[in-house]
Amino acid sequence: MGKKGREIVQSELNINEVVEELNRAVASEWTAAYFYWAASNVLKGFHGEEVAEFFEKQVEDELKHASKLARRINELGGVPIDMIGKVEQTSGEKLTLPNDHTDAEAFIQKALEVEGKVIEYYNRLAKKYFGKDHATYQVVSEILASEVTEEEELETLSGKKR
Ligand SMILES: [Fe+2]
Ligand SMILES: [Fe+2]
């Protein structure tokens, strides 16, 4: 990002803090991507197959979110976190797969728990950046909308909604 762009953000917010918040979001996206990837490879059974297929698609979505955030971090003059070994710690999220790999519903519930947390986090960031850093606000609100859609798809998959 150019000088003026950074000045505008800096006058309203602490850029280092924004970079840190966005990096935490990057870590959450990687955690979610890993969960969906691992889950899609262990799920068994009839309903499990359908859920695995959906989860496989989610991996791509979450990594796209991470890339969007990383691009914005770069623009802000920050460095997207060097992830290896730090993802779990930074995201504050410990993800374990349900023990019963035929219990597709348990996997959906775990995914809903993950998505619920990221929705809360992005909502908090969106409120904070609104009217202060338009570009970052746009990035987080776009991702927020995508997570809300995912949550709804997961709910549909679990049969709660029709
Ligand atoms: Fe995401
Ligand atoms: Fe998600």
Side-chain angles (χ1 to χ4, degrees), residues 46-89:
F46 179 66
H47 189 39
E49 233 166 79
E50 182 194 9
V51 176
E53 225 168 84
F54 176 76
F55 279 11
E56 215 177 305
K57 201 182 74 192
Q58 294 313 113
V59 177
E60 231 173 277
D61 268 25
E62 307 300 10
L63 291 179
K64 268 187 208 149
H65 295 162
S67 299
K68 264 191 192 178
L69 292 159
R71 273 197 295 276
R72 184 60 189 151
I73 290 168
N74 271 322
E75 283 173 4
L76 289 166
V79 180
I81 193 171
D82 174 5
M83 281 297 163
I84 308 296
K86 292 185 200 156
V87 170
E88 212 174 56
Q89 186 197 341

